[in-house]
Amino acid sequence: MKLDVNALRYLSKDDFRVLTAVEMGQKNHELVPIELIDSISGLKHGGAFRSIKTLMRHKLLHHDSKYYEGYRLTYMGYDFLAIRALVARGHISGVGRQIGVGKESDIFEVTNDDGEVFALKMHRLGRTSFRAVKSKRDYLGRRQNFSWLYLSRLAALKEYAFMKALYEHGFPVPQAIDNNRHAVLMSLVQARPMVQIREMAHPARVYLSCMELISRLAGKGLIHCDFNEFNLLIGEDEELTLIDFPQMVSITHANAEELFVRDVECIVRFFSKKIGYVPEQDPGLPYVRPSYAEAAAAAKAGGADGEGGLDVELAASGFQRQHQKVLEEYMEAAGSEDGEEEEGSDDEEGSDEEEEDGEAEAGSSGRQGAADGEAGPRLATGEGEAEAEAGVLPEEGDDEALEERLRAVAAKSSSGRGKAGAGDGGGGGAAGASGSGEEESEGEGESGEEEGAEEGAEEGEGRRRERGDRGPRRGGGGGGRRRHKLGETEVQQIVSAQRKKQNQRAALSRAGHNSAKKEKGSKKGGKSGGMDW
């Protein structure tokens, strides 16, 4: 859709209030109903409906009644909101011709009150030429639901951050001026895309400039991932300018080396086929291709100027928090004499935090057979995290780990540090059945024995889980307090009982799922029968 900014001069404040109301409503609505637009805009006496008619005439809103009556913003409506915000900030005062079209964006010339000319890039994610955004970009993160307008906004924000940081570090990129919604305002470079060039006065110098730019980016911890003749501008003096940054990733990305080599090969192929300059045949070149290993080593050492990597500063794709922690520890150890002590303290703090998280997860599960003091170290080592979150014991493949844990519990309970012993199996089973609450009211004898044995072992350590019972627990039999050490046979019985319990739960779950499917099928059959009748 062509951007026609002439309609801007005919829109009133109420029209922009309605546009803003629709934008706010689209945060949690695919189609914004008219009642919500009235509520957000605050217009009375049918003012919102009159503005909607005006906005639809200019194709700034789209009406849809597929599921219910509602409205949504078009890309032109989103453009008008972004342009109006930039005008209100005093950055631009007029929009000129379109100077560029890409698979993800459109670029326009804009001017300000002083007559200066800038470039305004409008991101257009979702057009038919580029719709595989979720698989090829990381804008969404862990989100599942999205709209194209929201994705365009994220892409613009990411590009603005990268462009501003690269310009401040001396890279040949346009100067980022402002950002609003899906629009990025930048300086206009007097150059043209390198893809339009067929002859160069100094191809070797331009080729080396490209390779040095790739190496400098990698030395700062970044890989462009789209470094080619379409995203390089060349001026009359054959100076390069790099553009298009939303797809940049960190050098710690899993595919960093592959992406680095791909950028290099794109430039080699362009010069060989389009310019007629074959780098491999030029003996005067100091090198043909830059080394990824050297670039990665420079990035690990803190960049070429020792100021650190930009992937850390910008949280580029592929750079995770654990990588940042390891890098900070490495830099502290290399820059200070007592680096080992600092690294040790950081590790202790990290283990304490993980232990607290592990205790919280183990306490919330309520059915896991480990006490809080044991769940923390187990989660800190990275083992059994999924079991703790799901609230179940390890699967059959973890028999050895379970046996070792039970042996450790039995040894601690026999050392006299607990308050009450487990008693015999039957008494412990009774105590476990009485203290399990409503969650485990199934009343199976084997499960009672399992729960009793586990809870008795936990009481031997002086640990209490917050469950149904609040009073003191007592072992069965004679009512006295006895210490009991679990033997190999009892450990095997507990393991087999837990397996049986898991199998029973899985069978119940499958039976419930099958019965639900049958019930749903019977309902469908009943409806169709009624229609036939």
Side-chain angles (χ1 to χ4, degrees):
M1 183 182 295
K2 184 178 179 181
L3 178 62
D4 184 11
V5 295
N6 291 323
L8 270 171
R9 66 186 69 179
Y10 304 114
L11 297 181
S12 63
K13 292 183 179 179
D14 291 347
D15 297 336
F16 279 105
R17 290 183 67 176
V18 172
L19 270 181
T20 307
V22 176
E23 180 190 16
M24 295 175 64
Q26 281 194 253
K27 291 182 179 180
N28 48 16
H29 290 78
E30 184 177 356
L31 299 174
V32 186
I34 184 64
E35 296 82 7
L36 184 58
I37 298 175
D38 282 331
S39 176
I40 297 176
S41 63
L43 300 179
K44 300 179 180 179
H45 308 295
F49 186 73
R50 287 195 299 269
S51 296
I52 287 175
K53 291 174 61 178
T54 303
L55 296 172
M56 289 186 63
R57 184 169 64 251
H58 294 295
K59 299 181 180 180
L60 306 183
L61 288 182
H62 177 74
H63 173 260
D64 197 344
S65 59
K66 183 177 182 181
Y67 303 105
Y68 57 88
E69 295 286 337
Y71 302 87
R72 61 175 176 84
L73 279 174
T74 63
Y75 259 120
M76 186 179 293
Y78 210 43
D79 293 344
F80 276 31
L81 287 173
I83 292 174
R84 187 170 185 265
L86 294 175
V87 170
R89 296 174 186 175
H91 292 308
I92 64 175
S93 59
V95 180
R97 64 187 179 94
Q98 185 174 355
I99 59 176
V101 179
K103 64 181 184 298
E104 302 179 56
S105 60
D106 294 334
I107 304 174
F108 301 88
E109 279 186 348
V110 294
T111 60
N112 60 5
D113 294 332
D114 298 331
E116 297 176 334
V117 182
F118 303 101
L120 181 64
K121 184 174 182 179
M122 299 285 194
H123 285 260
R124 298 270 193 262
L125 296 184
R127 57 175 47 170
T128 55
S129 62
F130 186 68
R131 298 183 66 87
V133 178
K134 191 172 181 180
S135 60
K136 298 183 182 298
R137 298 287 188 270
D138 65 338
Y139 305 145
L140 282 176
R142 297 183 179 180
R143 305 177 186 91
Q144 298 295 328
N145 301 320
F146 64 94
S147 67
W148 294 117
L149 296 180
Y150 182 63
L151 280 179
S152 299
R153 181 173 187 161
L154 294 179
L157 182 62
K158 185 174 183 180
E159 180 167 24
Y160 176 76
F162 276 110
M163 190 186 306
K164 188 174 182 180
L166 291 174
Y167 184 82
E168 292 175 353
H169 285 77
F171 284 88
V173 299
Q175 181 182 4
I177 299 174
D178 199 0
N179 162 248
N180 185 266
R181 294 176 173 87
H182 67 312
V184 180
L185 183 64
M186 67 189 80
S187 61
L188 183 63
V189 181
Q190 298 299 327
R192 54 177 177 169
M194 200 167 68
V195 67
Q196 301 176 4
I197 303 299
R198 289 295 177 265
E199 293 181 0
M200 292 183 183
H202 306 89
R205 188 183 68 181
V206 178
Y207 176 80
L208 283 179
S209 298
C210 294
M211 295 304 158
E212 289 175 0
L213 187 53
I214 294 176
S215 299
R216 283 183 61 194
L217 286 172
K220 299 298 292 185
L222 295 174
I223 298 177
H224 191 274
C225 298
D226 201 12
F227 198 96
N228 52 42
E229 61 273 18
F230 296 94
N231 294 325
L232 285 170
L233 305 180
I234 185 169
E236 294 182 357
D237 54 354
E238 295 187 347
E239 294 294 330
L240 298 178
T241 303
L242 182 63
I243 60 174
D244 196 10
F245 311 103
Q247 70 284 334
M248 294 184 75
V249 301
S250 169
I251 201 167
T252 58
H253 194 277
N255 302 326
E257 185 173 1
E258 177 185 353
L259 297 172
F260 181 88
V261 173
R262 187 181 69 178
D263 286 350
V264 173
E265 293 301 326
C266 283
I267 299 301
V268 173
R269 185 167 54 251
F270 169 74
F271 275 86
S272 301
K273 294 184 177 181
K274 302 295 184 181
I275 306 299
Y277 172 75
V278 182
E280 289 87 349
Q281 298 178 0
D282 187 358
L285 287 179
Y287 61 90
V288 176
R289 292 173 176 82
S291 172
Y292 171 79
E294 294 179 359
K300 186 176 181 181
D305 51 4
E307 295 181 358
L310 288 178
D311 56 341
V312 182
E313 177 183 343
L314 300 172
S317 175
F319 191 88
Q320 303 176 2
R321 292 182 179 178
Q322 57 266 30
H323 300 158
Q324 184 175 1
K325 182 179 178 181
V326 172
L327 182 60
E328 290 175 354
E329 291 176 356
Y330 172 79
M331 295 301 295
E332 289 178 1
S336 60
E337 296 179 356
D338 54 346
E340 296 180 358
E341 298 178 359
E342 294 178 2
E343 186 176 358
S345 62
D346 291 339
D347 293 339
E348 291 176 0
E349 291 176 2
S351 63
D352 292 341
E353 293 175 0
E354 292 175 351
E355 185 173 355
E356 292 177 0
D357 295 339
E359 291 178 0
E361 292 178 358
S364 62
S365 63
R367 295 182 182 179
Q368 191 174 358
D372 292 345
E374 297 174 354
R378 185 167 181 261
L379 291 179
T381 57
E383 299 177 357
E385 188 172 358
E387 291 86 352
E389 292 178 356
V392 297
L393 286 173
E395 300 293 337
E396 296 182 10
D398 296 335
D399 295 343
E400 297 180 1
L402 180 61
E403 290 176 6
E404 292 178 2
R405 282 174 46 215
L406 291 177
R407 289 195 190 99
V409 171
K412 291 180 181 179
S413 63
S414 64
S415 63
R417 288 182 292 179
K419 294 183 178 179
D424 54 21
S434 63
S436 60
E438 297 180 358
E439 289 185 4
E440 301 185 17
S441 59
E442 301 176 36
E444 299 173 355
E446 294 179 354
S447 64
E449 293 178 1
E450 301 155 11
E451 295 282 334
E454 290 178 14
E455 294 183 36
E458 293 174 3
E459 291 166 1
E461 281 195 359
R463 305 280 186 176
R464 287 289 182 89
R465 289 178 295 179
E466 295 181 359
R467 304 180 69 170
D469 54 335
R470 290 293 183 269
R473 302 185 181 182
R474 298 179 180 178
R481 298 181 178 178
R482 296 181 298 175
R483 297 185 178 90
H484 177 68
K485 181 176 181 180
L486 295 177
E488 294 291 337
T489 305
E490 292 176 304
V491 169
Q492 294 295 335
Q493 290 177 354
I494 293 174
V495 173
S496 60
Q498 288 293 342
R499 292 179 185 171
K500 185 175 181 181
K501 186 176 180 181
Q502 288 182 354
N503 294 334
Q504 289 176 352
R505 288 179 181 174
L508 288 174
S509 177
R510 288 194 298 271
H513 182 66
N514 294 335
S515 62
K517 290 176 63 176
K518 289 181 180 179
E519 183 178 357
K520 186 175 180 181
S522 63
K523 287 183 179 180
K524 289 184 179 180
K527 289 182 180 179
S528 61
M531 291 174 64
D532 294 337
W533 179 80

